[in-house]
Structures are given as C-alpha cells and as structure tokens.
C-alpha cells in the first residue's frame, strides 16, 4: 500500500511539473488553434485506465467503441466478463472486436486488442469471483468506472434482479472506494426507475423499504415467499426491473462516501443515430423486438396510445452523454451526486403513432424476408378491442397456420410462438400507454459547459434528431445488423408480400361466401336480401344491355 501511495504522490508531482511548464512556455498560435479545436473530453480519457461492467451488452459495446475511436491513447479498458453460450471470455472479446461495430476503431487504434483486458467476473458471485491478482490490478490502476451491467428483463425473479441491480452495485461501489486513483464512478440507471411518478426530477426518490433490508431478506427468504411479497414490494411500479433499478440508485447514494459519482438515466435506448454508423442495433430489447414482430407480420395490433410520447433515445447519444459526464464528474468534482436524464420527450417529442406509421412506411420500401403476414399497425387504447384483435389478427392465423403445418406433416409451432409474443408485448404495454416528463437541467447545464468541439464530438443534443430519418435507419439497421438480411433479397421479399396479399383476398372472399351460404340456408331475411340483390343486378344488366342495343 505504501508503495502504491508513493507511486501516487510521484504522479501528482509530475502533473504539477507539467502544468508549470505549460504556463512558462509561451504558446504558439498553432498550438492555440489546436487547443480551440481539440476535444477536452477525448484528451481527458487518453492515458486513463477505465473499468466497464456490462461491456458485452448493447450500451457497453457502443461505449467501448466510442472510447477507443476518440481516445486511442487511453491506457487500458478493463471489462468484467463472464463466459457465455459456450464461449470463453477471450472468445467473446475477440468476437466483439471483430464485429462490424468495431471496423472504424481498427483504423484509428490498430492495437485495440492490446488495450482491452477482459477480467473473468460474474457479478452474481461474491467479490464477483475475480482472482486476487486481477482484483489487485483493478484496485490499484482504475481511474474511471462505468457501471452498465444489469438485468434488463422485466420478468426477472426479484431475487436475481436484486442480486444484479442492487447487491452487485453495492459491491462495485465497495471496490471503487478502495481504488486510490479513482476519479469518477458513473452509474447507469434508467429514466423509468421512478415510472410510478409522472413528473420526475433529477433527484433520488426513496423506496419505502431500505435496499439493505431487501438485500438481507433475499438471502434467507425462499422463492415462494419472495413471489408472494414481490407485488407488495414493487408497489405501483410495473416490474422487478424498474423497482430494483430504483433500489440501485439508493445504494449509490448511500455508499458514495467521498467518491465523485454521477447517475445517468436513459429512457428507451434505441439503435445508433450517427455513430459509428446509423441504425446499429444487436438485441431485441425495447422497440427492436416489436419492429421485427411487426415487419414479419406476427404483430399487427397493439394496445398503445398513439399520442403518448415515445421517449426513445439513440444509444450513441447515451454514450456521448456518459463520456461527457465522466469527464465533468472527474474534472469539476460536483459537491453532490448529480443525476442526468438522457431523454428526448421534453426537447424533441415523438409519439408512438408517428413511430408506428414511419416503421410501416419503411417496411413498404424495404420489407423483411419471409413474412408470416403483411405488416400492419393498429393501435387501440381499448382493452376489449385489443383482445378482439388478439383473437382475430394474432391467435386465429396462428391456429390456421398450425393446422396447415399438421396437414403437411410438420410440427405445429406458431401458436406457441404467438402466445409467447403476446405475453412479451403485454409487458411493454405499460410503457406505451403513458407519458412521462423528465426534467433535464443537469443535462442542459453540462451541454453549456462543453466547448464547441466537445459539443460536436460528444453530441447529446436530441433537438437535432430528425425522427423520420432516425426511425427509417433504425428499421434498416434491424434488417441488416440484427436479422442479417441481405438488401439483394428485397425484390423477392416484395413478391412474397404480393403473394400474401392475394392469399389474404382469396381467403377473405372464400370466408365471405361460406358465411353467406350458411346464412341464406338458415334465415328467411338473408334469403330476401339475396333475392333483392340478385334481381336488382339482373334488372340493371338488362337495362344496360337494352340501352346499348338502342344506341347501335
Ligand atoms: C401493431 C404493431 C406495433 C409495432 C409497430 C411498429 C413498432 C414500432 C412502434 C412502436 C410500438 C411500441 C414499442 C414499444 C417499446 C416499448 C419499450 C418499453 C421499454 C421501456 C422501459 C425501460 C427501458 C429500460 O430501462 S430497460 C431496457 C429494455 N428492456 C427490455 O426491453 C427487456 C424486455 N425483455 C424481457 O423482459 C425479456 O427478454 C422478454 C420477456 C421479452 C423475453 O422473455 P422470454 O422468456 O420470452 O424469452 P427468453 O427465454 O429470455 O428468450 C427466448 C429467446 O430469445 C432470445 N432473446 C431474448 N431476449 C433477447 C434480446 N434482448 N436480444 C436477443 N435475443 C434475445 C433468447 O436468447 C432466447 O433465444 P434461444 O435461442 O431460444 O436461447
Ligand atoms: N436498453 C435500454 O433500453 C435501457 C438500458 N438502461 C440501462 O443501461 C444499462 C445497459 O443496458 P443494456 O446494454 O441495454 O443491457 P444488456 O442486457 O444489453 O447488457 C447487460 C450487460 O450486463 C452484463 N451482465 C448481466 N449479468 C451479469 C453477470 N452476472 N456478470 C457479469 N455481467 C453481467 C451482461 O453480460 P452478458 O453479456 O454476459 O450477459 C451485459 O454485458 C443497464 O444498466 C440498463 O439498466 C437504461 C435504460 C434503457
């Protein structure tokens, strides 16, 4: 430890000497000009050792990419990774670095693989199951921590959600408090941690039961009792995710000590807006899964309020704000933990109706391959209408398709898929039938603190976002990067939709004729109407024929 402190002292003296030198030497015009155009945030991260949790996740990958691209001289990024899906931690990192997302990074920072240190860790374990040597290195070297890891599943069991979103946050803070070189700790929360309120300020709202009590009780309560008390604990929040993220924030506040800490609350994080290229997305969370379900024609109606604000925020905007907050927190050291809302609704609102319309318009031009039915988007706010459409537009076609699969000797599967989809959609309904208002004073204050160059390189001003363009790129990104569909397949996809339209017309006509035939067989009134229509048509045709004969 003494050696460590000695080392630290040495570094401080060096910094002071550098500063003195800077002031003694008169600055040349060229240097002055360079300073004006230099990004202070990018230079801040150069030479730094950065620890990221959740680096293999959606946001974590974009965060790493931007850091390497804008600060290629950073010292090292430590990422806490667990093996998954038969891949070792190294294989996972290799896959990320060789993905399309990192193509630009390799040009700017060719030795990127040397600057990334994958540390084996499982945030569900004590001390994260990190080895002693790794822990020693992390504690002694880390300058900045970005805590992105979380379980974002809405239906996670409370025990697991608490473990990851609360206990792991507490453990990470404990680790951070033992880092002598720590300059800032940035915690990623969600704008929906207080979704039980309609106006949300940049403050931490306490939950009735203390996080420590919840953590303790999860250790000895069995699953059945936890299931029973979960609705009471989450109260008027819709799921364990939002509840445990709120508890996580309380833990951050309670354990902050004298560390420089900030909390970022993004709303619904969507595909990239601009960087490293528009439309990048790699998971099904939030709207992405629904866009696919709509594009493939599985989901054709939803219980959603078209005028409710769709508070989407591009992932690169969240990352830019996160990096700016990291810089500001470390350099300006605000006295208290600042909370930054990363939302779009109050500055540049878009609603679900407009979004659904633009998603469909894009599918007209660029359809998905092998759709089940033609895409459609009916928004209804009425529960009964929604149930009717679920039966007619979702369940019935699935049952008919399964019948067809059975007839052709294949295993039926569509009803199962549809039930699962409808269950998942029902979990999102809470968020598409309400609007929230988030105050953004801290985010706006930070924007005004940035130099013009930083405002450009780390742009998080959502007022500049063109929604129609963004949504179109989002849909294209879902097709290209998530579904890996080739653009060359578009003509065939369009042909397929035409065939589906013809089948649809044919099916409806057949259904109408059968229904009518059954009706006239049973009802005198229907027979009378039928007789009236037929005789009317006959008279009209006779008149038409007679008048055309007269003309000749
Ligand atoms: C009428 C048509 C309407 C559509 C028109 C056009 C659409 C656009 C307009 C918009 C309309 C509405 C958009 C609504 C969007 C609302 C979002 C609101 C969310 C905001 C709230 C908070 C924001 C946050 O802070 S959290 C981040 C968001 N979190 C989520 O979105 C999590 C939601 N997900 C879950 O809770 C679960 O993943 C769940 C329940 C959806 C899936 O659970 P399930 O048990 O069914 O599946 P699994 O067994 O877990 O997995 C099955 C299978 O799928 C793979 N998989 C699962 N999740 C993902 C994923 N995210 N990415 C990739 N793959 C995934 C999984 O690996 C399994 O694969 P196997 O191969 O079978 O192993
Ligand atoms: N996506 C969104 O719409 C929003 C997200 N947020 C917040 O942003 C942050 C990042 O979210 P996002 O990137 O979308 O989430 P993802 O689900 O894509 O990523 C979650 C990350 O956490 C890691 N993780 C989960 N469990 C463990 C564990 N036991 N040990 C080690 N690592 C683990 C995952 O690792 P692995 O790959 O091994 O599973 C993954 O890297 C979260 O804090 C979330 O609450 C906030 C608002 C909206």
């Amino acid at each position: 430890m003494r050696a460590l402190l000695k080392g630290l002292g040495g570094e401080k003296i060096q910094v002071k000497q550098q500063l003195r030198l800077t002031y003694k030497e008169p600055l040349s015009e060229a240097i002055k000009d360079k300073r004006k155009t230099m990004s202070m945030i990018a230079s801040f991260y150069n030479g730094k050792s950065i620890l990221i949790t959740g680096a293999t996740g959606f946001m974590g990958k974009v965060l790493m990419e931007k850091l390497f691209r804008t600060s290629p001289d950073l010292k090292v990024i430590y990422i806490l990774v667990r093996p998954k899906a038969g891949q070792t931690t190294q294989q996972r990192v290799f896959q990320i670095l060789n993905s399309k997302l990192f193509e630009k990074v390799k040009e700017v920072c060719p030795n990127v693989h040397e600057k990334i240190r994958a540390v084996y860790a499982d945030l569900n374990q004590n001390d994260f199951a990190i080895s002693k040597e790794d822990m020693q290195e992390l504690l002694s070297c880390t300058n900045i921590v970005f805590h992105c890891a979380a379980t974002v599943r809405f239906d996670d069991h409370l025990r697991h959600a608490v473990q990851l979103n609360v206990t792991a946050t507490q453990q990470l803070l404990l680790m951070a408090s033992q880092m002598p070189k720590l300059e800032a700790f940035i915690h990623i929360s969600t704008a929906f941690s207080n979704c039980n309120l309609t106006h949300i300020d940049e403050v931490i709202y306490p939950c009735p039961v203390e996080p420590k009590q919840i953590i303790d009780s999860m250790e000895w309560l069995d699953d059945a009792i936890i299931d029973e008390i979960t609705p009471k604990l989450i109260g008027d929040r819709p799921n364990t995710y939002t509840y445990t993220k709120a508890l996580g924030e309380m833990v951050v506040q309670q354990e902050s000590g004298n560390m420089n800490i900030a909390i970022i609350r993004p709303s619904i994080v969507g595909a990239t807006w601009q960087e490293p290229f528009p439309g990048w997305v790699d998971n099904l969370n939030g709207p992405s899964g629904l866009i696919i379900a709509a594009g493939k024609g599985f989901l054709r109606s939803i219980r959603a309020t078209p005028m409710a604000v769709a508070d989407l925020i591009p992932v690169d905007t969240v990352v830019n704000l996160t990096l700016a907050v990291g810089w500001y927190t470390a350099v300006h050291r605000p006295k208290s933990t600042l909370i930054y809302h990363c939302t779009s609704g109050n500055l540049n609102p878009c609603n679900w109706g407009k979004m659904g319309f633009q998603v469909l318009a894009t599918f007209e031009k660029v359809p998905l391959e092998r759709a089940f039915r033609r895409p459609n988007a009916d928004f209804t706010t009425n529960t009964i209408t929604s149930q009717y459409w679920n039966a007619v537009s979702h369940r019935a076609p699935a049952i008919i398709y399964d019948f067809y699969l059975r007839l052709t000797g294949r295993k039926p599967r569509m009803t199962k898929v549809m039930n699962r989809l409808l269950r998942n959609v029902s979990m999102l309904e809470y968020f598409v039938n309400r609007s929230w208002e988030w105050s953004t004073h801290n985010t706006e204050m930070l924007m005004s603190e940035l130099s013009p160059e930083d405002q450009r390189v780390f742009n998080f001003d959502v007022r500049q976002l063109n929604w129609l363009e963004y949504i179109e790129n989002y849909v294209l990104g879902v097709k290209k990067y998530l579904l890996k569909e080739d653009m060359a397949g578009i003509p065939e996809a369009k042909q397929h939709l035409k065939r589906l339209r013809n089948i649809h017309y044919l099916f409806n006509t057949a259904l109408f004729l059968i229904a009518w035939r059954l009706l006239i067989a049973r009802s005198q009134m229907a027979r009378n109407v039928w007789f009236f229509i037929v005789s009317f048509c006959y008279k009209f045709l006779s008149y038409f024929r007679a008048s055309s004969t007269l003309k000749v």
Side-chain angles (χ1 to χ4, degrees):
M1 187 57 131
R2 205 174 284 164
L4 207 74
L5 288 173
K6 224 175 162 185
L8 261 179
E11 195 165 290
K12 268 186 195 153
I13 292 163
Q14 251 182 2
V15 173
K16 275 185 196 155
Q17 278 171 347
Q18 270 175 11
L19 279 176
R20 216 176 293 141
L21 264 178
T22 319
Y23 287 113
K24 265 186 184 171
E25 297 288 324
L27 291 175
S28 72
E29 284 307 308
I31 292 178
K32 276 186 193 163
D33 279 353
K34 201 168 175 220
R35 283 250 169 112
K36 265 189 223 157
T37 57
M38 207 170 65
S39 161
M40 290 194 331
I41 300 177
S43 352
F44 166 76
Y45 287 106
N46 279 328
K48 294 281 188 303
S49 300
I50 300 156
L51 169 63
I52 302 181
T53 70
T56 50
F58 179 43
M59 200 184 294
K61 284 181 208 158
V62 181
L63 179 67
M64 274 201 296
E65 194 277 341
K66 177 85 182 200
L67 267 169
F68 280 127
R69 192 158 40 83
T70 49
S71 308
D73 292 330
L74 62 82
K75 195 167 172 192
V76 61
I77 295 188
Y78 296 109
I79 61 174
L80 301 191
V81 206
R82 54 180 174 173
K84 200 176 178 184
Q87 284 189 310
T88 63
T89 54
Q90 293 306 330
Q91 284 166 334
R92 294 189 74 187
V93 175
F94 183 78
Q95 195 179 29
I96 294 173
L97 293 184
N98 284 301
S99 66
K100 173 139 182 72
L101 184 71
F102 276 73
E103 271 174 9
K104 282 190 185 164
V105 165
K106 284 201 203 130
E107 288 164 22
V108 186
C109 182
N111 59 340
V112 56
H113 53 280
E114 289 164 15
K115 294 199 173 220
I116 189 162
R117 262 269 281 130
V119 174
Y120 175 98
D122 182 348
L123 305 195
N124 285 327
Q125 310 280 327
N126 255 348
D127 286 335
F128 302 155
I130 298 176
S131 74
K132 260 195 185 148
E133 301 73 45
D134 285 343
M135 184 61 93
Q136 191 54 44
E137 185 175 342
L138 290 176
L139 293 184
S140 56
C141 301
T142 305
N143 301 115
I144 318 280
V145 178
F146 292 108
H147 179 33
C148 304
T151 166
V152 302
R153 286 184 71 101
F154 293 152
D155 60 345
D156 222 347
H157 193 263
L158 186 63
R159 188 197 300 284
H160 185 243
V162 166
Q163 173 58 47
L164 208 57
N165 296 348
V166 192
T167 316
T169 302
Q170 191 188 40
Q171 273 204 53
L172 191 67
L173 283 158
L174 187 71
M175 251 177 87
S177 68
Q178 298 165 54
M179 294 173 175
K181 291 186 183 171
L182 187 77
E183 295 172 44
F185 182 106
I186 311 301
H187 173 73
I188 310 295
S189 185
T190 163
F192 295 94
S193 54
N194 302 292
C195 59
N196 49 329
L197 307 174
T198 45
H199 177 91
I200 300 152
D201 279 319
E202 292 149 309
V203 296
I204 293 172
Y205 296 91
C207 298
V209 187
E210 279 290 308
K212 277 189 186 124
Q213 277 174 282
I214 302 282
I215 294 173
D216 289 346
S217 59
M218 291 300 129
E219 271 166 25
W220 59 270
L221 288 177
D222 67 29
D223 282 356
I225 298 179
I226 294 179
D227 286 342
E228 212 167 290
I229 60 170
T230 299
K232 291 191 186 85
L233 286 174
I234 68 176
D236 46 6
R237 286 187 177 79
N239 51 43
T240 53
Y241 170 68
T242 50
Y243 174 63
T244 52
K245 288 299 275 189
L247 289 177
E249 290 183 4
M250 284 177 73
V251 161
V252 171
Q253 190 183 38
Q254 290 167 356
E255 309 284 332
S256 59
N258 50 14
M259 290 181 275
N260 299 317
I261 298 194
I263 296 177
I264 295 173
R265 289 184 183 151
S267 47
I268 303 168
V269 182
T272 51
W273 167 20
Q274 290 164 321
E275 289 182 83
F277 45 83
W280 182 83
V281 58
D282 81 338
N283 77 20
L284 296 172
N285 286 339
S288 311
L290 287 200
I291 290 175
I292 294 179
K296 294 276 183 189
F298 291 119
L299 189 70
R300 290 164 57 90
S301 95
I302 189 170
R303 196 173 73 77
T305 307
M307 293 312 288
V309 176
D311 209 301
L312 236 71
I313 190 89
V315 62
D316 45 338
T317 306
V318 183
V319 160
N320 286 345
L321 174 70
T322 304
L323 291 174
V325 168
W327 161 79
Y328 185 80
T329 312
V331 172
H332 292 266
R333 301 167 161 256
K335 284 199 187 79
S336 60
T337 299
L338 291 188
I339 292 150
Y340 299 84
H341 284 157
C342 192
T343 53
S344 57
N346 61 338
L347 295 173
N348 183 3
C350 180
N351 61 45
W352 292 115
K354 183 172 168 182
M355 199 159 278
F357 181 81
Q358 183 62 5
V359 169
L360 280 193
T362 311
F363 281 137
E364 283 284 319
K365 291 190 274 181
V366 193
L368 296 186
E369 290 170 11
R370 294 184 300 277
F372 174 59
R373 293 185 67 197
R374 286 176 68 78
N376 184 36
D378 277 328
F379 288 74
T380 168
T381 48
N382 185 299
T383 318
I384 296 176
T385 322
S386 154
Q387 279 169 358
Y388 168 79
W389 284 121
N390 273 350
V392 171
S393 216
H394 298 138
R395 291 209 163 89
I399 293 170
I400 293 169
Y401 187 71
D402 274 352
F403 181 64
Y404 162 75
L405 287 180
R406 259 184 228 278
L407 280 183
T408 51
R410 282 173 284 176
K411 202 174 158 215
R413 59 191 156 84
M414 196 50 76
T415 314
K416 208 168 150 199
V417 170
M418 192 56 82
N419 286 340
R420 193 169 196 157
L421 174 68
L422 294 181
R423 189 184 72 92
N424 293 346
V425 169
S426 72
M427 279 192 256
L428 302 179
E429 279 178 358
Y430 178 93
F431 300 96
V432 288
N433 284 290
R434 288 170 176 75
S435 295
W436 287 267
E437 238 181 58
W438 288 276
S439 58
T440 49
H441 303 298
N442 288 340
T443 309
E444 286 170 61
M445 172 281 293
L446 179 59
M447 208 181 299
S448 67
E449 288 284 320
L450 301 192
S451 68
E453 181 60 1
D454 277 331
Q455 285 179 359
R456 189 185 66 78
V457 181
F458 296 91
N459 181 15
F460 52 88
D461 185 356
V462 283
R463 284 169 298 198
Q464 297 164 18
L465 183 88
N466 176 336
W467 281 110
L468 296 186
E469 196 181 284
Y470 173 69
I471 297 163
E472 183 167 315
N473 285 331
Y474 194 155
V475 173
L476 286 173
V478 162
K479 182 174 168 71
K480 278 198 274 186
Y481 310 118
L482 198 47
L483 295 175
K484 311 238 179 319
E485 289 186 5
D486 196 337
M487 291 296 158
I490 291 174
E492 169 53 29
K494 285 189 174 168
Q495 272 303 321
H496 179 68
L497 288 187
K498 272 191 192 148
R499 278 196 294 275
L500 286 179
R501 189 191 51 195
N502 294 342
I503 293 174
H504 178 76
Y505 287 156
L506 218 69
F507 181 81
N508 278 3
T509 314
L511 205 67
F512 175 77
L513 289 177
I514 292 169
W516 187 241
R517 186 69 196 85
L518 288 176
L519 201 69
I520 55 174
R522 270 154 226 248
S523 147
Q524 182 58 45
M525 175 122 127
R527 272 198 293 274
N528 290 347
V529 172
W530 181 236
F531 179 73
F532 174 76
I533 293 173
V534 171
S535 61
F536 180 80
C537 290
Y538 179 74
K539 276 182 192 152
F540 180 76
L541 278 177
S542 316
Y543 170 78
F544 186 71
R545 208 184 295 156
S547 62
S548 55
T549 324
L550 273 179
K551 262 183 212 162
V552 172

